[in-house]
């Protein structure tokens, strides 16, 4: 069974950075992408961006572009999300999810079929 | 960005009921529409992709329909484990966007 295991929860001060990792296993990492989705407390789902496991190409949501970097290490089959200049409204559970797009260019034939367990990032002074 | 609007935002139902949840896109999205189920404190789970394709292992009481801008998720006979929040998602264009969710209670 495909597994995505995320790193543990983080508490950060405003202005700091956070890095969340997502270890993938039991599938061919380079044949899929990884998307990141967050969910603020009591709120809905927000797509943050995606990275190709094949060529490392990224796409970021406009609202966090400039503050985010997504990476993928094929040797360890681990994807990571780094978010900088944290604000209180970045407090959320961050999920990684396997997506069907390995090309790195946007494909509309896509869905997120496996998800990590989620990582709570709390931004508070 | 394409806006996804779900209705109702919450729905009260009982075990054995047939329920339907609607998702409307702000423009035509063909059939690039997925449905997810999320239980409290857990990650979302994919149920249906491309509007009507049931993911392997998902019970057949779940079904999806629609094309263009209007879509429906139907649960034919509610089971206790189905009380959760449901989200639609469009992948027609980037960024992929989610509906606001429908809480089934």
């Amino acid at each position: 069974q495909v597994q995505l295991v995320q790193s543990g929860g983080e508490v950060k001060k405003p202005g700091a950075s956070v890095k969340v990792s997502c270890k993938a296993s039991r599938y061919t990492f380079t044949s899929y992408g990884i998307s990141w989705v967050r969910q603020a407390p009591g709120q809905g789902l927000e797509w943050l961006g995606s990275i190709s496991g094949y060529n490392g190409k990224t796409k970021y949501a406009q609202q966090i572009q400039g503050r985010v970097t997504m990476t993928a290490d094929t040797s360890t089959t681990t994807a990571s999300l780094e978010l900088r200049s944290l604000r209180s409204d970045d407090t959320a559970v961050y999920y990684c999810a396997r997506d069907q797009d390995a090309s790195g260019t946007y494909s509309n034939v896509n869905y997120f079929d496996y998800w990590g367990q989620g990582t709570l990032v709390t931004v508070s002074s | 960005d394409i806006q996804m609007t779900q209705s109702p935002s919450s729905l009260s139902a009982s075990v054995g009921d047939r329920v339907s949840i609607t998702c409307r896109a702000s423009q035509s999205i063909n059939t690039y529409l997925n449905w997810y189920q999320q239980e409290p404190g857990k990650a979302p789970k994919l149920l249906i992709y491309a509007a009507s394709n049931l993911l392997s292992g998902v019970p057949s009481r779940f079904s999806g329909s629609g094309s263009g801008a209007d879509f429906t998720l139907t649960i034919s006979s509610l089971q206790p484990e189905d009380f959760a929040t449901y989200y639609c998602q469009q992948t027609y264009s980037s960024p992929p966007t989610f509906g606001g969710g429908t809480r089934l209670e």
Side-chain angles (χ1 to χ4, degrees):
Chain A
Q1 179 77 331
V2 170
Q3 277 197 326
L4 298 173
V5 179
Q6 298 183 223
S7 50
E10 303 264 12
V11 180
K12 297 291 183 180
K13 293 192 183 303
S17 298
V18 70
K19 191 168 187 176
V20 179
S21 66
C22 173
K23 167 70 176 175
S25 61
R26 301 178 187 171
Y27 73 94
T28 303
F29 187 75
T30 53
S31 294
Y32 297 85
I34 293 284
S35 273
W36 291 90
V37 175
R38 72 180 177 184
Q39 186 170 37
Q43 302 301 308
L45 302 168
E46 178 187 19
W47 180 80
L48 300 178
S50 63
I51 184 164
S52 164
Y54 173 69
N55 56 25
K57 284 188 177 179
T58 54
K59 289 188 69 69
Y60 300 138
Q62 192 167 17
Q63 68 268 27
I64 61 167
Q65 192 142 19
R67 294 199 296 132
V68 65
T69 301
M70 295 177 188
T71 57
D73 184 336
T74 57
S75 66
T76 60
T77 65
T78 299
S80 296
L81 163 75
E82 181 182 31
L83 191 59
R84 301 177 292 276
S85 302
L86 289 167
R87 311 186 294 239
S88 58
D89 62 358
D90 291 319
T91 294
V93 176
Y94 288 73
Y95 294 103
C96 62
R98 189 178 81 164
D99 75 42
Q100 308 305 297
D101 183 12
S103 70
T105 58
Y106 188 77
S107 168
N108 50 22
V109 181
N110 203 357
Y111 47 85
F112 304 164
D113 57 353
Y114 290 94
W115 294 63
Q117 82 277 18
T119 297
L120 176 61
V121 175
T122 303
V123 183
S124 173
S125 55
Chain B
D1 298 0
I2 296 176
Q3 306 303 313
M4 305 301 294
T5 303
Q6 287 183 235
S7 60
S9 56
S10 65
L11 178 57
S12 184
S14 301
V15 172
D17 285 353
R18 177 184 179 90
V19 300
S20 292
I21 297 168
T22 296
C23 179
R24 174 165 288 177
S26 58
Q27 65 177 76
S28 176
I29 58 170
N30 199 323
T31 57
Y32 298 111
L33 189 284
N34 307 315
W35 289 98
Y36 299 86
Q37 176 196 64
Q38 187 179 33
E39 299 174 57
K42 296 193 175 180
K45 293 180 185 176
L46 177 68
L47 298 175
I48 288 170
Y49 62 96
S52 60
N53 294 276
L54 199 66
L55 188 70
S56 176
V58 173
S60 59
R61 62 180 179 273
F62 291 93
S63 64
S65 63
S67 65
D70 293 306
F71 301 87
T72 301
L73 172 70
T74 300
I75 309 172
S76 61
S77 178
L78 269 176
Q79 298 302 299
E81 61 268 30
D82 300 338
F83 291 90
T85 300
Y86 293 83
Y87 293 95
C88 61
Q89 176 203 32
Q90 69 80 22
T91 59
Y92 177 80
S93 67
S94 185
T97 47
F98 293 89
T102 295
R103 184 177 173 183
L104 192 48
E105 52 194 15

